Amino acid sequence: MRKLILAVVLLAIFALMPLAADLLGQNALQTLSARILIYAMAAASLNLILGYGGMVSFGHAAYFGVGAYVVGILYSHWMSEVPIFGLFPGSNQLLITLPAAMLLSGFAALVIGALSLRTGGIQFIMITLAFAQMIFFLFVSLTAYGGEDGIIIRRSNEVPGLNMRDKTTVYYVILVVAVLYFAWMWRVVNSSFGQVLKGIRQNERRMEAMGIATFRYKLYAFVLAGMGAGLAGALMANFLRFTSPDMMHWTKSGELIIMVILGGLGTFFGPILGAAAFLILEFYLADWTEHWQLGLGIILLFVVLFTKGGILGMIDRLRGGRQ
């Protein structure tokens, strides 16, 4: 019941944010809220393998960037009317670009996961980081698609019946996709598949002794997480109308990990609260000082050392103390 109330409260806040931003004359609040929704999806996809599966990936931003570039590349070929590889036409339709971004990001996760999941510990972390940096430098070298400067998307992808030139319309499209994604994520983490992932995190050898093919389950989770990050990246490209290699840099992976830890590792609502906390702190601390990362680092240390479960853990402890 408590989780349902929290879900309704969060949905109401995000749904009313454009109205609140208009009333307060703070249009930046709508932009901030949209970024929170998108990064919450990316962080939730990472939480699936990190929080529930115990796989510490330092290359998750690669799939986020691949999803964004799928949108950018399809748009540029749609504008130039030149098929990709002479075979596939470009597109500016959201109902085409989003599934394409998810499929290609999932394929990248499949290839990387099939190789990296054969290792563990620090080796797994370093291999995922290495693959992510390889993808990063690959897109930096693609001068046909802007190289380091990235791709400018002059218009958000179109949806039949909607005016996607309006930022508020784009915002509500992002909100609807986010709600559907988190509803799907709820089903996944509370399914038998999610329970197996939790078991692998706690004791992989015991799960293998029970006859469970842990590698296969971990690879499935890795691919699903990559697809979720790709979906978030595609939405970000549409919202910003821009994509660049910076979206897949290893520092972006670090930011996603921070969001997961801030909110609460292995919790359903943790990535949402973590993304909100990270971006709000970034938004306001950056106004005070150019060294805002120092303040964020101090807050993160406090959360890790004293809250024992991130923001959600701190809330639960406060509620327990009151009771």
Side-chain angles (χ1 to χ4, degrees):
M1 187 64 180
R2 184 173 62 89
K3 292 182 178 179
L4 178 60
I5 293 173
L6 180 57
V8 172
V9 169
L10 288 173
L11 179 58
I13 291 173
F14 284 116
L16 295 174
M17 188 57 67
L19 177 61
D22 187 53
L23 290 174
L24 296 172
Q26 297 286 335
N27 293 329
L29 290 178
Q30 181 175 312
T31 299
L32 177 62
S33 184
R35 293 180 65 226
I36 289 172
L37 284 169
I38 293 170
Y39 278 114
M41 294 172 60
S45 68
L46 175 60
N47 190 45
L48 179 64
I49 58 174
L50 175 59
Y52 292 103
M55 294 170 273
V56 185
S57 172
F58 236 105
H60 204 65
Y63 318 122
F64 184 80
V66 167
Y69 261 93
V70 168
V71 173
I73 291 173
L74 285 174
Y75 179 83
S76 65
H77 281 272
W78 175 78
M79 286 289 292
S80 64
E81 299 182 353
V82 177
I84 303 171
F85 303 124
L87 299 173
F88 308 106
S91 176
N92 72 330
Q93 296 296 315
L94 193 73
L95 297 179
I96 294 176
T97 58
L98 288 191
M102 294 175 67
L103 287 173
L104 289 177
S105 298
F107 178 75
L110 175 65
V111 174
I112 294 174
L115 297 172
S116 60
L117 287 172
R118 301 183 186 279
T119 64
I122 190 66
Q123 292 89 354
F124 175 77
I125 297 173
M126 296 308 296
I127 288 176
T128 55
L129 175 61
F131 274 117
Q133 286 303 96
M134 288 169 60
I135 295 175
F136 168 78
F137 285 111
L138 169 65
F139 280 95
V140 168
S141 66
L142 294 179
T143 55
Y145 300 114
E148 292 184 3
D149 297 326
I151 302 173
I152 295 175
I153 303 170
R154 299 189 182 278
R155 298 179 185 174
S156 298
N157 290 162
E158 296 180 0
V159 177
L162 298 178
N163 178 19
M164 294 297 284
R165 297 186 183 184
D166 179 36
K167 277 286 187 180
T168 302
T169 303
V170 176
Y171 174 86
Y172 280 114
V173 168
I174 293 171
L175 177 59
V176 169
V177 174
V179 169
L180 293 175
Y181 179 76
F182 279 102
W184 171 82
M185 182 64 73
W186 176 265
R187 293 292 301 273
V188 170
V189 299
N190 290 285
S191 66
S192 57
F193 175 79
Q195 299 306 312
V196 170
L197 273 184
K198 295 173 187 176
I200 292 173
R201 179 195 63 197
Q202 294 172 3
N203 195 321
E204 185 172 353
R205 289 186 178 180
R206 182 175 295 178
M207 298 298 286
E208 289 177 344
M210 293 171 61
I212 294 175
T214 58
F215 176 82
R216 186 175 64 190
Y217 276 91
K218 288 163 67 176
L219 184 58
Y220 286 165
F222 208 81
V223 172
L224 291 176
M227 294 176 71
L231 173 63
L235 290 174
M236 183 62 80
N238 272 284
F239 185 74
L240 297 180
R241 299 179 186 175
F242 175 74
T243 181
S244 77
D246 290 338
M247 287 184 171
M248 59 182 73
H249 196 260
W250 71 269
T251 54
K252 187 66 69 177
S253 297
E255 290 178 1
L256 295 177
I257 292 175
I258 290 173
M259 292 175 190
V260 174
I261 295 173
L262 268 177
L265 193 65
T267 61
F268 181 77
F269 292 102
I272 303 174
L273 298 179
F278 180 90
L279 293 172
I280 290 171
L281 286 171
E282 178 187 22
F283 184 79
Y284 287 104
L285 289 176
D287 280 345
W288 294 342
T289 174
E290 63 182 18
H291 306 294
W292 62 270
Q293 293 94 337
L294 176 61
L296 180 64
I298 294 172
I299 294 172
L300 180 62
L301 281 174
F302 174 82
V303 170
V304 172
L305 294 175
F306 300 107
T307 62
K308 296 181 180 179
I311 296 173
L312 275 181
M314 182 172 61
I315 293 173
D316 288 338
R317 290 177 65 188
L318 290 173
R319 291 181 71 253
R322 290 176 181 176
Q323 292 173 357

